[in-house]
Amino acid sequence: MDNDTDPDDLDQTDDGGPPTRMPYPVKVAAFLLGTLAVFAGFASIANTIGDTGRTHAVVFLGTVALAAVVAVVGLFRARRWGSYLGFGVALLVALATLRTVGTAVVGIGFLAAIMGTLMTRSAKDWLGFA
């Protein structure tokens, strides 16, 4: 057999490029950002429908939802800007939740989870960081 590569070994490409399968930490970060996008989108719609008159909340939550979706697309396409945008969205969420201790723990925990997953070696390799 001329091909001496194992068909189960799909973690590295032949040219030494990024892995061909998405690493688990990147999947976790994409899941967290996707979940944030869904919740922020629903909250934006709820503030629009509700009679609260909070247009700033609608704009902020809609922007966070859109940015989270774009970050997930960037992560799935193995683009560096996906991780940068993911970090930015997580930082915005962490800063927006600093009003009380309970929400701050959630926001800072979300930031720590995104940073912890995207700063692993496998995630850096996937996103093209040397």
Side-chain angles (χ1 to χ4, degrees), residues 6-125:
D6 185 16
D8 294 330
D9 186 23
L10 297 175
D11 289 336
Q12 290 290 335
T13 58
D14 293 335
D15 60 355
T20 55
R21 279 197 245 168
M22 182 184 288
Y24 184 72
V26 178
K27 288 180 185 178
V28 170
F31 173 76
L32 290 173
L33 287 168
T35 305
L36 172 69
V38 169
F39 285 139
F42 283 148
S44 178
I45 292 170
N47 279 328
T48 302
I49 294 172
D51 204 18
T52 58
R54 297 182 181 182
T55 43
H56 64 282
V58 172
V59 171
F60 177 74
L61 290 169
T63 304
V64 167
L66 181 64
V69 167
V70 173
V72 169
V73 169
L75 289 175
F76 273 109
R77 297 189 68 195
R79 304 286 190 241
R80 284 186 187 178
W81 55 263
S83 67
Y84 298 148
L85 193 56
F87 287 141
V89 168
L91 183 62
L92 277 176
V93 169
L95 290 174
T97 59
L98 289 178
R99 286 186 167 202
T100 62
V101 174
T103 58
V105 168
V106 172
I108 293 173
F110 183 77
L111 177 63
I114 294 296
M115 289 185 71
T117 55
L118 291 180
M119 296 300 288
T120 60
R121 174 53 48 199
S122 60
K124 287 180 181 181
D125 288 344

